Amino acid sequence: MNWRVLLLSLILGSMVVGSLQAQSSITSSPGQSGDPLSTPNRLKINLTLGDPTELKVREGDTVNRGQVLSDKEAERSRLERDKRERLLAIANVEAQLVPALQPAPALRELPPISYTVEETAIQLAEIKLAQAQRNLATAIEADPFISAKARVERSLADVEAAHRAFELQQRKLDAVNGLRGLPPEMLTHETEKLRQAKTTLEGKEAEYKFFQAEYFQVETDRRKELTDLQSKVAIARGELEQAQSRLRAAKENRELAEYNHRITISRRAEEENQVAINVANQKLDREFKLAQLREQLSAVEEKLNGIVQVKSPYSGTIRRIKFDRQTDGKLAVTLYLDTTGPSSTN
């Protein structure tokens, strides 16, 4: 009897494990002999199915010992598909290489500060302005009107004297004409003297106009000369201001270049830090994805390992299949196995 007890214990142990994995239970009815260790005449097997297709027998089917009663093929296929997808996802993530940090090229330093060109231009402009101002001052001090003005004044005095002499002779001739008994030679003589006085006056007037025209010409030339000299002074002053402006612009440009250079250095540091952060985040993201996928793969494999087939503990006939209830998407099914038929031989 000891070996029969041991055999029955092994069978019952395997039935308990199968019922835990497949969420099924078996209830047996004893045989007619009343021996509890004999093959039961009728078994009630409780199954919990996720889908009716998981049930592999029908009422009236004859089954052998160890024949599959239920099998979660659809769930197993789904989990195997999930496993393949997780393995492929892991391979894809592992194939994604995180770029290595590349050292950025060194920034060129700004050239040394030098304003030699601008300062030299300022010096030359100052020299040119000083020379133009000296030329103008010299021209102002040298008065070319003295001699021309003196000639005009002398000529004007000669004209006035000639005019008085002419008027005096005219009055004298008028007086002679008013006297009676004078010889004709005297009248002719006085008339000739009047003509000579007039000729002298006209000559003096012509000379005065010449000297006056000469004076006007000197004045025009003088004005033009001073205007040109003043223009040269203005041009030289403008060139000096331009040279000074270029120096100020050069200094401002240098300050701007130094400011931009500092900004570039700061921005370069920020970019390098950001690149380092991005690379670190990519590595962390890669490791996180791998850990997550491996965890999912482990869960899928655990579920696959937990799927078992519920097999018949004895040979017999499925007399009845009872669908009891459905709870949370699970279908409770009861199988009634009759082991008293001709095919129930162990």
Side-chain angles (χ1 to χ4, degrees):
M1 292 294 292
N2 291 334
W3 67 271
R4 294 183 63 184
V5 172
L6 180 60
L7 179 62
L8 181 59
S9 298
L10 292 173
I11 293 174
L12 292 176
S14 63
M15 290 172 60
V16 170
V17 174
S19 64
L20 290 175
Q21 298 292 339
Q23 298 182 351
S24 62
S25 63
I26 301 175
T27 304
S28 61
S29 300
Q32 295 177 354
S33 64
D35 186 356
L37 299 177
S38 63
T39 302
N41 295 333
R42 191 175 187 186
L43 282 82
K44 184 171 70 172
I45 304 173
N46 296 322
L47 303 175
T48 301
L49 308 177
D51 188 271
T53 59
E54 296 177 2
L55 187 61
K56 303 303 179 183
V57 294
R58 294 181 297 179
E59 291 184 355
D61 286 353
T62 299
V63 297
N64 297 320
R65 181 181 178 180
Q67 182 175 338
V68 176
L69 299 179
S70 68
D71 188 9
K72 298 180 180 297
E73 293 178 348
E75 186 174 358
R76 184 182 293 105
S77 298
R78 180 182 62 79
L79 291 174
E80 288 178 348
R81 183 175 63 253
D82 289 346
K83 180 180 179 179
R84 290 192 299 271
E85 291 177 353
R86 298 301 183 277
L87 290 173
L88 179 60
I90 290 174
N92 290 335
V93 174
E94 290 178 341
Q96 296 174 358
L97 299 178
V98 178
L101 285 174
Q102 298 294 333
L107 287 174
R108 294 180 56 186
E109 295 295 333
L110 292 176
I113 301 176
S114 176
Y115 304 112
T116 304
V117 175
E118 291 79 7
E119 291 172 348
T120 302
I122 290 176
Q123 294 175 358
L124 294 176
E126 289 175 344
I127 293 173
K128 186 175 181 179
L129 175 61
Q131 183 63 43
Q133 290 174 338
R134 282 196 299 270
N135 293 338
L136 178 60
T138 301
I140 292 175
E141 291 175 358
D143 189 359
F145 295 102
I146 296 176
S147 59
K149 189 175 182 181
R151 286 194 295 270
V152 171
E153 291 176 352
R154 286 197 301 269
S155 179
L156 179 60
D158 291 343
V159 169
E160 291 175 351
H163 190 269
R164 286 195 298 273
F166 175 76
E167 289 182 344
L168 179 61
Q169 184 62 32
Q170 182 67 47
R171 287 197 296 272
K172 186 177 181 180
L173 180 61
D174 292 339
V176 169
N177 287 330
L179 295 175
R180 296 180 180 273
L182 292 177
E185 293 81 5
M186 181 177 286
L187 181 60
T188 303
H189 176 72
E190 295 299 331
T191 302
E192 179 61 24
K193 288 178 65 175
L194 179 64
R195 184 186 64 78
Q196 291 177 357
K198 183 178 180 181
T199 301
T200 301
L201 175 62
E202 290 175 351
K204 295 299 181 180
E205 288 178 346
E207 187 179 42
Y208 171 74
K209 290 180 181 179
F210 173 78
F211 289 140
Q212 191 177 43
E214 182 182 44
Y215 177 81
F216 290 154
Q217 182 63 44
V218 170
E219 184 181 21
T220 302
D221 294 342
R222 169 71 168 178
R223 188 181 300 111
K224 184 177 182 300
E225 179 185 7
L226 292 178
T227 301
D228 292 341
L229 292 174
Q230 290 171 351
S231 177
K232 290 179 180 180
V233 170
I235 292 173
R237 183 177 290 109
E239 291 177 352
L240 175 60
E241 292 175 355
Q242 289 179 357
Q244 294 171 341
S245 177
R246 284 193 292 269
L247 177 60
R248 289 194 298 270
K251 292 181 177 180
E252 292 174 357
N253 292 335
R254 177 66 184 197
E255 292 177 358
L256 179 61
E258 292 177 351
Y259 174 75
N260 291 333
H261 188 66
R262 291 193 296 271
I263 290 179
T264 301
I265 293 175
S266 176
R267 185 179 293 116
R268 172 67 66 83
E270 292 179 0
E271 291 175 352
E272 290 178 353
N273 292 336
Q274 188 61 46
V275 169
I277 292 173
N278 291 339
V279 171
N281 288 338
Q282 290 182 29
K283 290 181 178 179
L284 291 175
D285 185 61
R286 183 175 181 271
E287 295 301 325
F288 176 76
K289 288 181 179 179
L290 286 174
Q292 192 176 38
L293 290 171
R294 286 167 181 157
E295 183 179 354
Q296 294 174 359
L297 177 62
S298 178
V300 171
E301 289 177 340
E302 184 178 354
K303 290 181 181 180
L304 273 173
N305 295 331
I307 296 177
V308 297
Q309 298 174 329
V310 178
K311 299 180 180 180
S312 176
Y314 301 103
S315 299
T317 303
I318 303 299
R319 294 301 181 187
R320 184 183 176 194
I321 298 176
K322 181 182 178 182
F323 293 90
D324 294 332
R325 65 188 179 279
Q326 184 174 2
T327 305
D328 296 332
K330 302 295 183 181
L331 183 64
V333 180
T334 303
L335 301 183
Y336 294 90
L337 178 64
D338 187 358
T339 62
T340 59
S343 62
S344 61
T345 308
N346 291 334

